[in-house]
Amino acid sequence: MKKRLKILDRIIHELKSAKHIAIAGHMRPDGDCIGSQLAVAYAVKSLGKKVSVLNEDVMPKKLAFLDPGKILKSPNKPVEYDSVVVTDCASYERMGAVGEAISKRGTLINIDHHGSNSRYGDINWIDPSSASSGELIFRLIKQANWKITPSIADCLFTAISTDTGSFQYATTRPSTYQIAAELVEKGANVGRICEEVYQSHPLSRVKLLRHVYNSFKLIEKNQIAYFWIRKADYKRARALPDESEGLIDHIRDIEGVKIACLFEEIEPEITRISFRSKLPELDVSTIAVSFGGGGHQSAAGVRITGKQQTLQRKVLYALKEALAKIQ
Ligand code: 5GP
Ligand code: MN
């Protein structure tokens, strides 16, 4: 506890002394990443700081309501920043093009909850026991005594809600609910957040889901479920790449499935893989790390280069092995 307070105080000191602060996140940002980035941005903006919020990819449509002023930008050529805060990003490479844009930085502050975080910052606050990065940002803002405005509350509630599967994952702790309760007290609009994030899927995304239901495979006595989404599937559904988020949950949720796996074609020889585990004793982050990726026990991912058939064979073999180990 003492060490954590020290780190928090160092982070607060850094942010207070900086004039221009960049706030970065990982490529293909999710609710936890965007919510955490924007909450830090709003908090330090109200201290009078110049703030740049950077992400390699554009804002996912369902999260755009958190950024009415459109402060999230794609990275441009490198600019000098006194400090850079990176939220929810397990490795420097996961920032993608933002890594280059912040190369003229002062202090790099890495705030994350991935156990696999490579500690690439000058200050690293990594807490894998936290269900979301949003909870860490909440603790940072509280410790600094900065005001939690309704906008910040919306961002952090979205971060926590999305990274806990709406408070369903086993990572959800008593403090997760306590923080969420305080955010609602401070003005988080739960009805609006749930409508925007969970109940406004574009038809294109529903068409992708139809593809998932039509094409998923079950192996190992229905314990492993997997499916592919290729560029042609996006084209047919007229969907954007970020619309694949959450599709994997639909096959994870089949009775008897213990591991779910999504293979997504980024380029013909670049595949993004998502893993989900339904058993606490089955750690998919270990599998992701063995291929060069990362994540958490129950949700992990990696990007792999190579022929699709070859990598599918290797990945499914690793999943079967992991399953055999626990039986
Ligand atoms: P998703 O499957 O939703 O994209 O990601 C699940 C989890 O795995 C997230 O916590 C995410 O940060 C992590 N993850 C996904 N892809 C990668 C990757 O390529 N590298 C690393 N290090 N982590 C990843
Ligand atoms: Mn997260």
Side-chain angles (χ1 to χ4, degrees):
M1 193 69 184
K2 215 168 168 204
K3 195 173 160 227
R4 190 182 303 146
L5 283 182
K6 260 195 185 159
I7 288 180
L8 268 178
D9 288 336
R10 277 175 63 203
I11 296 173
I12 293 160
H13 176 76
E14 274 298 330
L15 294 177
K16 279 185 175 163
S17 17
K19 288 198 182 85
H20 190 181
I21 301 170
I23 301 159
H26 58 78
M27 49 173 84
R28 300 282 295 255
D30 55 9
D32 191 26
C33 181
I34 294 280
S36 297
Q37 280 183 274
L38 289 172
V40 176
Y42 295 150
V44 296
K45 240 180 174 214
S46 67
L47 302 178
K49 309 291 178 187
K50 189 174 174 205
V51 180
S52 302
V53 187
L54 302 172
N55 209 294
E56 174 176 289
D57 293 299
V58 295
M59 171 71 85
K61 235 172 155 185
K62 64 181 180 185
L63 299 171
F65 74 104
L66 296 174
D67 184 19
K70 297 193 182 346
I71 60 171
L72 186 127
K73 298 268 190 293
S74 297
N76 222 315
K77 54 181 184 306
V79 170
E80 282 184 28
Y81 300 106
D82 302 314
S83 287
V84 177
V85 181
V86 191
T87 62
D88 200 47
C89 183
S91 68
Y92 199 91
E93 296 68 43
R94 285 268 291 157
M95 274 187 268
V98 175
E100 172 62 19
I102 60 164
S103 55
K104 292 188 185 171
R105 65 179 184 268
T107 313
L108 184 62
I109 303 167
N110 170 14
I111 303 177
D112 186 27
H113 70 130
H114 293 92
S116 61
N117 190 291
S118 63
R119 309 187 77 86
Y120 52 84
D122 302 310
I123 302 177
N124 298 287
W125 183 28
I126 313 303
D127 182 359
S129 70
S130 186
S132 61
S133 294
E135 285 157 80
L136 301 180
I137 304 305
F138 175 86
R139 282 157 57 192
L140 170 71
I141 293 177
K142 287 287 274 193
Q143 175 76 10
N145 254 323
W146 295 332
K147 189 172 159 45
I148 297 180
T149 60
S151 305
I152 292 178
D154 277 345
C155 290
L156 293 180
F157 191 95
T158 301
I160 297 168
S161 171
T162 51
D163 248 33
T164 55
S166 305
F167 304 91
Q168 290 176 42
Y169 299 159
T171 49
T172 312
R173 298 183 299 178
S175 60
T176 314
Y177 293 105
Q178 280 152 3
I179 291 172
E182 189 168 335
L183 292 171
V184 178
E185 270 170 12
K186 300 271 196 264
N189 187 341
V190 180
R192 165 111 199 262
I193 292 168
C194 292
E195 192 192 327
E196 295 277 0
V197 178
Y198 304 116
Q199 298 160 9
S200 302
H201 292 308
L203 195 57
S204 50
R205 202 261 188 192
V206 181
K207 287 181 180 166
L208 274 187
L209 182 57
R210 181 161 62 191
H211 160 75
V212 175
Y213 280 133
N214 277 333
S215 64
F216 76 88
K217 304 262 189 313
L218 290 166
I219 54 170
E220 298 294 296
K221 296 188 180 135
N222 299 353
Q223 296 178 100
I224 299 175
Y226 70 93
F227 63 98
W228 277 85
I229 298 188
R230 294 191 169 82
K231 283 184 163 191
D233 302 313
Y234 281 107
K235 212 169 161 194
R236 215 172 295 123
R238 296 174 189 269
L240 297 169
D242 70 52
E243 289 176 34
S244 66
E245 204 194 324
L247 291 178
I248 192 171
D249 300 352
H250 293 266
I251 62 161
R252 177 204 60 197
D253 294 349
I254 300 167
E255 185 184 16
V257 167
K258 292 176 179 156
I259 312 177
C261 178
L262 152 64
F263 296 90
E264 184 183 344
E265 179 186 85
I266 304 290
E267 295 298 334
E269 296 224 344
I270 303 177
T271 305
R272 192 182 83 92
I273 304 175
S274 286
F275 301 105
R276 297 292 183 269
S277 161
K278 258 156 85 178
L279 299 178
E281 63 272 29
L282 216 161
D283 183 353
V284 283
S285 81
T286 319
I287 300 168
V289 167
S290 76
F291 286 101
H296 309 281
Q297 174 269 320
S298 59
V302 63
R303 277 172 191 241
I304 307 186
T305 29
K307 293 230 178 315
Q308 294 182 349
Q309 281 313 311
T310 316
L311 66 87
Q312 176 186 302
R313 192 169 0 98
K314 283 185 188 158
V315 167
L316 293 182
Y317 181 77
L319 296 183
K320 288 177 198 170
E321 266 200 322
L323 206 54
K325 260 190 216 146
I326 59 155
Q327 275 163 350

